[in-house]
């Protein structure tokens, strides 16, 4: 398994991996229209391009045997001393094989290297990924409902891990 820093040339791959992952992960949680809306907004070429030009925002492709199986996106210094995990997604056939745990450990390592002491994330209240985060030491510290436009909201737990 390798983590490879994504470049502008990888945007289409990130979009494809996101769609494949989301259609599996959120099919029973969110209506298809909301999934399509969120993918269009959060994974547009302009949005990902803006992330890739931000020196604190990083995308890494997760590869296994030279094949992309997912990606992770995070932002150092999101708040003072804090890295925010914005996204970590795996294609369905890569789940349960240790890639998610490895991605979280990679994030913890990168967070420490950048001088941050805390990692935060949002997770949908109905997403089973919460259990994975908890198994890696994350704890719920709050919850929130966030208006994301288009008549949709995200109903999330806010989680943190302190290094």
């Amino acid at each position: 398994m390798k983590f490879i820093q994504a470049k502008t040339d990888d945007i289409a791959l990130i979009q494809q991996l996101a769609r494949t992952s989301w259609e599996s992960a959120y099919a029973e949680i969110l209506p298809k229209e909301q999934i399509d809306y969120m993918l269009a907004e959060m994974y547009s070429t302009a949005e990902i391009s803006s992330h890739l030009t931000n020196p604190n925002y990083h995308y890494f492709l997760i590869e296994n045997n030279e094949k992309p199986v997912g990606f992770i996106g995070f932002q150092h210094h999101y708040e003072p001393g804090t890295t925010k995990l914005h996204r970590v997604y795996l294609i369905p056939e890569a789940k349960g094989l240790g890639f998610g745990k490895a991605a979280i450990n990679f994030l913890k390592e990168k967070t420490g290297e950048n001088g941050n002491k805390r990692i935060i994330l949002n997770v949908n209240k109905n997403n089973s990924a919460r259990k994975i985060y908890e198994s890696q030491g994350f704890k719920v510290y709050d919850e929130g409902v966030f208006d994301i436009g288009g008549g949709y909201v995200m109903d999330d737990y806010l989680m943190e891990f302190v290094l």
Side-chain angles (χ1 to χ4, degrees):
M1 171 183 354
K2 290 194 286 191
F3 293 92
I4 299 167
Q5 187 143 26
K7 304 176 292 307
T8 304
D9 292 349
D10 297 314
I11 291 174
L13 175 59
I14 291 168
Q15 292 168 324
Q16 180 243 325
L17 290 166
R19 178 160 294 281
T20 301
S21 176
W22 276 51
E23 287 175 349
S24 169
Y26 294 113
E28 296 185 20
I29 298 174
L30 301 173
K32 182 180 181 335
E33 298 77 22
Q34 183 170 350
I35 292 170
D36 291 342
Y37 173 81
M38 291 174 73
L39 283 169
E41 292 292 315
M42 297 167 61
Y43 289 92
S44 70
T45 299
E47 183 73 10
I48 297 171
S49 292
S50 75
H51 296 162
L52 292 173
T53 60
N54 178 337
N56 289 320
Y57 205 122
H58 305 279
Y59 278 89
F60 286 85
L61 297 170
I62 304 167
E63 284 192 354
N64 185 43
N65 297 324
E66 308 299 319
K67 180 184 181 225
V69 297
F71 66 93
I72 184 169
F74 54 90
Q75 184 177 0
H76 295 304
H77 312 295
Y78 181 80
E79 295 173 355
T82 301
T83 293
K84 180 160 187 180
L85 173 60
H86 288 284
R87 36 194 80 168
V88 58
Y89 291 104
L90 299 170
I91 59 175
E93 53 270 27
K95 291 184 178 179
L97 301 175
F99 297 116
K101 180 178 179 180
I104 296 299
N105 286 335
F106 177 80
L107 172 64
K108 289 174 181 177
E109 179 182 311
K110 292 294 184 188
T111 297
E113 287 173 4
N114 276 273
N116 288 329
K117 301 291 182 209
R118 178 176 178 242
I119 301 169
I120 60 172
L121 61 87
N122 294 19
V123 64
N124 182 288
K125 288 181 181 174
N126 296 308
N127 190 335
S128 61
R130 175 184 169 191
K131 292 182 181 78
I132 295 164
Y133 294 126
E134 288 174 334
S135 77
Q136 299 306 306
F138 284 80
K139 298 197 178 341
V140 173
Y141 71 91
D142 204 352
E143 54 186 79
V145 176
F146 305 95
D147 184 343
I148 57 170
Y152 300 112
V153 297
M154 293 190 323
D155 189 7
D156 292 345
Y157 288 117
L158 309 181
M159 301 186 79
E160 69 177 345
F161 177 86
V162 178
L163 298 175

